[in-house]
């Protein structure tokens, strides 16, 4: 085997290894909650229709990089955890669900990555579109490879509705006012597609 052949073999081996380590993933299960407060009581809504797609670089079961990722939540799939139809109507109206049927987060880049006790902690940037308004939004993702090869992603993010031009709703002729800040919590499991 000539030196040139050896170099070509090594290059092909490396490319094959990298290609094998990069995998496309889709939603297997999810729990996405929006939690908020008001001057009367706390409230919570859960997303019931979510699609996540992504391309991750995983080496030796350790997630190292995200090449691309998109999260889509059907706005009208947000349902009150207390099964309140009135709350659902107000939530959908506040988020302009008829005009903007999806809440979308599109990953743009990884800011930094660190390993911590079997988890990969990734700080990432992306663009969040809420009620038709798109703003850059950073997230901290705790990513773990499960025994079956699925990826588990967890985290939370505080968001001001006013940043997206959304006026927090009020109820009972203004007697109950919802606070501007909400917390988005997510626990998502992705499977190889």
């Amino acid at each position: 085997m000539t030196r040139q052949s050896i170099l070509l073999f090594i290059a092909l081996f490396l490319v094959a290894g990298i290609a094998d380590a990069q995998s496309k993933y889709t939603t297997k299960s999810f729990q996405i909650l929006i939690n908020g407060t008001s001057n009367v009581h706390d409230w919570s809504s859960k997303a019931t229709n979510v699609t996540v797609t992504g391309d991750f670089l995983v080496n030796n079961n350790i997630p190292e990089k995200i090449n691309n990722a998109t999260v889509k939540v059907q706005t009208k799939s947000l349902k009150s955890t207390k099964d309140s139809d009135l709350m659902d109507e107000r939530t959908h109206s506040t988020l302009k669900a008829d005009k903007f049927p999806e809440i979308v987060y599109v990953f743009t880049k990884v800011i930094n990555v660190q390993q911590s006790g079997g988890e990969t902690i990734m700080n990432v940037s992306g663009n969040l579109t809420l009620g038709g308004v798109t703003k850059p939004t950073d997230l901290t993702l705790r990513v773990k490879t499960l025994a079956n090869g699925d990826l588990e992603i967890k985290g939370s993010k505080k968001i001001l509705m006013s940043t997206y031009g959304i006026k927090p709703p009020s109820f009972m002729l203004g007697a109950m006012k919802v606070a501007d800040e909400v917390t988005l919590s997510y626990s998502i499991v992705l499977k190889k597609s």
Side-chain angles (χ1 to χ4, degrees):
M1 206 177 223
T2 67
R3 184 171 181 266
Q4 202 169 16
S5 298
I6 292 170
L7 289 174
L8 182 61
F9 176 78
I10 291 170
L12 288 172
F13 178 78
L14 289 173
V15 168
I18 290 169
D20 188 49
Q22 292 182 19
S23 298
K24 295 192 183 312
Y25 289 82
T26 56
T27 320
K28 182 175 184 179
S29 66
F30 60 86
Q31 181 178 38
I32 295 180
L33 292 171
I34 300 173
N35 298 302
T37 60
S38 73
N39 60 335
V40 177
H41 58 73
D42 293 349
W43 60 272
S44 180
S45 290
K46 63 185 176 192
T48 58
N49 187 337
V50 177
T51 304
V52 182
T53 55
D55 185 348
F56 292 77
L57 174 63
V58 180
N59 273 323
N60 297 321
N61 287 330
I62 298 172
E64 293 183 349
K65 184 182 174 189
I66 302 172
N67 296 310
N68 62 65
T70 302
V71 180
K72 293 182 180 180
V73 177
Q74 298 302 311
T75 310
K76 286 191 175 179
S77 83
L78 293 172
K79 304 291 182 188
S80 166
T81 56
K82 297 188 184 341
D83 292 324
S84 167
D85 290 341
L86 178 60
M87 180 69 183
D88 293 345
E89 286 173 23
R90 291 291 172 97
T91 300
H92 301 161
S93 173
T94 299
L95 296 175
K96 308 166 194 163
D98 286 334
K99 191 172 182 184
F100 304 106
E102 290 183 331
I103 299 165
V104 181
Y105 185 81
V106 179
F107 162 86
T108 52
K109 69 176 180 178
V110 174
I111 300 168
N112 61 51
V113 178
Q114 58 185 355
Q115 301 299 323
S116 174
E119 284 185 327
T120 300
I121 300 170
M122 294 184 178
N123 292 309
V124 302
S125 285
N127 291 311
L128 176 63
T129 302
L130 192 58
V133 175
T134 302
K135 296 283 183 183
T137 306
D138 293 349
L139 297 176
T140 298
L141 310 177
R142 305 183 78 86
V143 188
K144 182 165 60 173
T145 304
L146 302 179
N148 61 1
D150 292 345
L151 290 183
E152 179 185 70
I153 302 171
K154 292 184 174 183
S156 65
K157 174 71 176 180
K158 292 186 184 302
I159 295 171
L160 294 177
M161 288 188 272
S162 56
T163 302
Y164 296 85
I166 295 170
K167 183 180 178 185
S170 60
F171 299 84
M172 300 178 291
L173 301 174
M176 176 182 160
K177 296 185 190 318
V178 172
D180 188 14
E181 184 179 85
V182 297
T183 302
L184 173 68
S185 303
Y186 43 90
S187 177
I188 298 166
V189 176
L190 301 178
K191 62 182 179 182
K192 283 187 183 179
S193 55

